[in-house]
Amino acid sequence: MRDRLNLSLPVEMIAQINDLAIRRRLTRSAIVEAAVASFLSPDGADRLEAAFARRLDRLTRQVQRLERDSGLSTEALALFIRFWLTITPPLPSDAQATAQAKGRERYEGFIEALGRRLNQGRTLRDEIPMDLIRTDLASDQTDTDHGSSDYVE
């Protein structure tokens, strides 16, 4: 069943409808009907919203991985610094130059080993199982001693 609807449109829009009808070999009514159906259909908006939701979900997962990685790096560095400061005795003045030279040599070795490890695709993140790392923000906020498995007491 069809019903008639009279409407007023700007002259420019009617000219565009006429041109499209001629090019596509359609009636003006068919063009206006398709345009109104498209406008009333929520499919376009729903698809756009779903696409945005998928992108936001992907971005959320990426940010969560970045948070995990930066937290892991921070904790690993903090644990190393605490351990190093605890076990390293102060050096006498006459041993400073020798220690600095040895430190530069060890640092260069460290950088080479790190480069080799990264070239192999191995990362610390891959070695730590996900279930060992807490992801609950509430437990992170209430935990003030940062775990009880520290090497240093």
Side-chain angles (χ1 to χ4, degrees), residues 25-92:
R25 297 182 182 174
L26 296 170
T27 64
R28 294 187 309 174
S29 295
I31 292 170
V32 172
E33 183 179 343
V36 170
S38 175
F39 181 79
L40 295 176
S41 172
D43 293 340
D46 286 346
R47 280 183 287 183
L48 187 59
E49 185 178 341
F52 279 132
R54 283 191 304 273
R55 288 181 187 139
L56 285 173
D57 287 344
R58 187 173 55 239
L59 288 172
T60 299
R61 287 190 302 274
Q62 289 172 342
V63 167
Q64 287 172 341
R65 281 192 302 268
L66 286 172
E67 272 182 346
R68 175 180 180 253
D69 292 353
S70 69
L72 177 66
S73 299
T74 302
E75 288 303 316
L77 180 61
L79 184 61
F80 172 76
I81 290 170
R82 181 184 291 169
F83 179 74
W84 184 81
L85 289 174
T86 302
I87 66 163
T88 305
L91 293 175

Side-chain angles (χ1 to χ4, degrees), residues 2 21 24 41 58 84 114 122 131:
R2 298 185 74 80
R24 299 270 176 101
S41 172
R58 187 173 55 239
W84 184 81
L114 180 63
R122 295 173 51 203
D131 58 344

Side-chain angles (χ1 to χ4, degrees), residues 124-138:
L124 178 61
R125 179 187 67 191
D126 297 333
E127 294 177 9
I128 300 176
M130 284 295 293
D131 58 344
L132 293 180
I133 298 176
R134 291 183 305 220
T135 56
D136 184 18
L137 293 176

Side-chain angles (χ1 to χ4, degrees), residues 1-35:
M1 176 173 132
R2 298 185 74 80
D3 196 4
R4 179 179 279 282
L5 175 68
N6 292 325
L7 61 125
S8 299
L9 297 172
V11 176
E12 301 85 22
M13 189 177 291
I14 292 174
Q16 288 177 327
I17 293 170
N18 287 336
D19 290 342
L20 184 60
I22 291 169
R23 282 195 317 262
R24 299 270 176 101
R25 297 182 182 174
L26 296 170
T27 64
R28 294 187 309 174
S29 295
I31 292 170
V32 172
E33 183 179 343

